[in-house]
Amino acid sequence: MDNPLHSEFTEGIKEALQNNNQALAAAKIQEYLDQQNNTPLNIAITGETGSGKSTFVNAFRGIDNSDEKCARTDENTLEVISYPHPNYPNVTLWDLPGVGTTKFPADKYLELVGFEKFDFFIIISDTRFRENDVKLAQEIQKMGKKFYFVRSKIDNDLRAEERSQREFDEKKMIAQIRENCIQGLQQQGVESPKVFLVSSFKLQLHDFPLLHKTLERELPAHKRNALLLAMHDINLEIINKKKEAFQAEIKYLATLSAAVAAVPVTGLSVAVDVALLVGVVTKYVVGFGLYSSSLKSLAGSTGVPLKDLTAAIHLPLAVTKITPFLILKLLSQCVSTAASTAAEEESRYIPIIGIPAAMGLSFITTYRALSTFLNMLAEDADRVFTKALGLNTSV
Ligand code: GDP
């Protein structure tokens, strides 16, 4: 799907090139990469103290509850506290006090927390949803915003039930809890409530993947990538979607690279291309969580030794500092002709910025390099995820 930002940006490049201002053209490439990471997404998390808000906020951001940067988990949360995503500061989770812990009615509460800035609300409860939750949901709806009910700590319920029953049927139990929540909400006047059963300790299980899908579907198109990238790899589908989102950008990046190559200044093209490659490949590594602290945290939460996860990574770009030198070295080793047909196919985008087709060589080189790095890193991410979850299938 085309983003107006892309065309606005390519226009800027075109103009800079027509004015023979290659420095401005290069700056605009950087600006473009920065803009990709800057669509704001603000997620409000509200619920009573102890319902599991902070743990959810941390899990969503891929932060251990024991990490220094984590949200507090042991005090009353009476103020609105922002928790930016560690890799995507444009994505912020906001920990809001439960409406029942304040003296304000739901409508005043929303005004006080500054509801306008939030893209959607998540209302958390570790038991049934209460009157206050419902009143708040109704006010949120009145304000034209979306809300989702999250029933937290589902692992606790399952464990307790498993202990108490001889014949334990997880699916049945989950269905029952969901039904109870829905019925409770309906009785209090919420029409067709959406309730997601979640364990913040294992986001890949239960309804969290469904919550992500629902949010993705209901968010405006230009916000979807912000949500997708901020989401850590909870399943192979997310890895694949990230790969598709990155892939969709490559033709623009290659076009821009070709535009810069059109400027007849010796050496400039190579320098800018490598800088661009370093920036984009770093974004892939971060997006797929293939850097050391993310892998350490994955090892910690799954109990799979870090060395086993690292062994699943084939491309030395992950877990190593990405430098222009490393990129150039890998370019000569890994970038085959495999992506060339696709690159030639995509070179029809070159006229977008009105440069001669002869510049296609630079386009194809950049396209091929980025596609190859992306494919290899996505395969690494698949292997790491498969290993971490102890899945037998490799995708
Ligand atoms: P908050 O006051 O709403 O921010 O709640 P916390 O996030 O501090 O959670 C309260 C307690 O519930 C803590 O001891 C958490 O470890 C625990 N907790 C939170 N989420 C979960 C969960 O999904 N599963 C389990 N088993 N415990 C959880």
Side-chain angles (χ1 to χ4, degrees):
M1 181 184 348
D2 270 354
N3 181 333
L5 251 186
H6 290 302
S7 32
E8 195 185 310
F9 182 71
T10 38
E11 277 309 306
I13 283 283
K14 186 178 168 182
E15 199 182 313
L17 286 170
Q18 277 165 352
N19 295 333
N20 214 11
N21 190 344
Q22 55 273 46
L24 180 61
K28 282 191 175 288
I29 290 176
Q30 198 48 56
E31 193 189 324
Y32 170 79
L33 291 174
D34 291 346
Q35 274 176 352
Q36 293 304 297
N37 285 333
N38 281 339
T39 307
L41 182 67
N42 289 292
I43 307 173
I45 316 287
T46 174
E48 303 307 313
T49 305
S51 60
K53 287 186 311 266
S54 325
T55 311
F56 182 83
V57 165
N58 286 339
F60 196 102
R61 297 185 304 149
I63 288 182
D64 264 7
N65 253 15
S66 54
D67 275 6
E68 252 182 78
K69 284 181 287 180
C70 70
R72 65 208 154 3
T73 58
D74 59 353
E75 318 164 11
N76 284 349
T77 52
L78 294 173
E79 345 126 60
V80 175
I81 306 177
S82 67
Y83 293 98
H85 191 284
N87 297 331
Y88 302 99
N90 53 314
V91 177
T92 306
L93 283 97
W94 298 79
D95 183 344
L96 272 51
V99 68
T101 52
T102 74
K103 56 183 186 307
F104 303 101
D107 56 339
K108 285 276 170 309
Y109 169 97
L110 280 182
E111 227 173 80
L112 284 169
V113 297
F115 73 93
E116 303 92 342
K117 67 174 166 285
F118 302 121
D119 290 289
F120 56 85
F121 289 76
I122 288 181
I123 303 174
I124 295 196
S125 173
D126 60 354
T127 54
R128 65 186 179 81
F129 291 92
R130 296 173 204 281
E131 201 189 333
N132 278 321
D133 299 319
V134 171
K135 277 192 189 146
L136 182 61
Q138 285 159 344
E139 283 302 320
I140 294 171
Q141 197 160 28
K142 262 195 221 159
M143 302 298 179
K145 298 273 175 179
K146 290 213 152 59
F147 60 88
Y148 306 87
F149 290 108
V150 163
R151 165 64 161 80
S152 62
K153 307 186 194 175
I154 210 67
D155 53 317
N156 269 352
D157 298 76
L158 291 173
R159 226 180 355 258
E161 189 71 8
E162 194 171 15
R163 276 197 215 109
S164 71
Q165 282 187 10
R166 282 218 175 138
E167 279 186 39
F168 166 67
D169 181 339
E170 180 174 320
K171 271 200 181 140
K172 212 164 132 191
M173 162 94 195
I174 293 261
Q176 202 178 358
I177 298 176
R178 186 181 289 110
E179 195 45 41
N180 288 347
C181 288
I182 290 175
Q183 268 183 15
L185 285 165
Q186 281 171 337
Q187 278 161 12
Q188 296 182 76
V190 185
E191 270 177 45
S192 354
K194 286 179 192 139
V195 181
F196 299 88
L197 276 44
V198 165
S199 162
S200 293
F201 298 149
K202 294 248 183 264
L203 287 189
Q204 71 275 17
L205 299 181
H206 315 301
D207 289 345
F208 187 77
L210 182 63
L211 174 63
H212 170 251
K213 265 196 183 154
T214 309
L215 296 174
E216 191 186 35
R217 196 177 54 238
E218 297 189 357
L219 268 177
H222 69 287
K223 301 247 179 186
R224 286 181 197 147
N225 269 6
L227 177 74
L228 175 66
L229 292 183
M231 190 63 53
H232 53 122
D233 299 342
I234 48 165
N235 54 36
L236 293 172
E237 195 184 334
I238 298 261
I239 296 175
N240 207 32
K241 279 189 176 167
K242 284 184 184 174
K243 184 182 160 193
E244 280 170 13
F246 289 141
Q247 183 68 49
E249 254 181 35
I250 290 183
K251 60 176 179 278
Y252 294 97
L253 294 164
T255 306
L256 298 175
S257 159
V260 173
V263 180
V265 176
T266 327
L268 181 74
S269 164
V270 171
V272 171
D273 285 352
V274 175
L276 182 141
L277 290 182
V278 169
V280 178
V281 170
T282 304
K283 190 169 137 178
Y284 297 165
V285 168
V286 170
F288 290 127
L290 292 171
Y291 51 97
S292 51
S293 60
S294 170
L295 292 165
K296 264 187 210 148
S297 151
L298 185 62
S301 67
T302 57
V304 176
L306 179 60
K307 67 174 175 30
D308 291 359
L309 296 182
T310 317
I313 295 172
H314 293 178
L315 196 64
L317 283 169
V319 300
T320 319
K321 185 163 169 37
I322 301 164
T323 60
F325 176 75
L326 181 60
I327 288 283
L328 284 174
K329 196 172 129 203
L330 288 169
L331 267 180
S332 61
Q333 286 170 4
C334 314
V335 179
S336 69
T337 52
S340 68
T341 316
E344 276 147 24
E345 157 70 7
E346 295 285 359
S347 63
R348 65 198 156 81
Y349 285 92
I350 289 175
I352 293 176
I353 50 173
I355 57 167
M359 292 303 117
L361 184 62
S362 174
F363 176 95
I364 289 171
T365 312
T366 308
Y367 188 98
R368 201 183 284 173
L370 286 176
S371 300
T372 307
F373 287 139
L374 176 59
N375 284 337
M376 293 176 88
L377 287 166
E379 280 168 18
D380 279 345
D382 269 8
R383 271 191 298 270
V384 167
F385 182 82
T386 305
K387 188 91 200 162
L389 277 256
L391 302 176
N392 295 323
T393 50
S394 175
V395 178

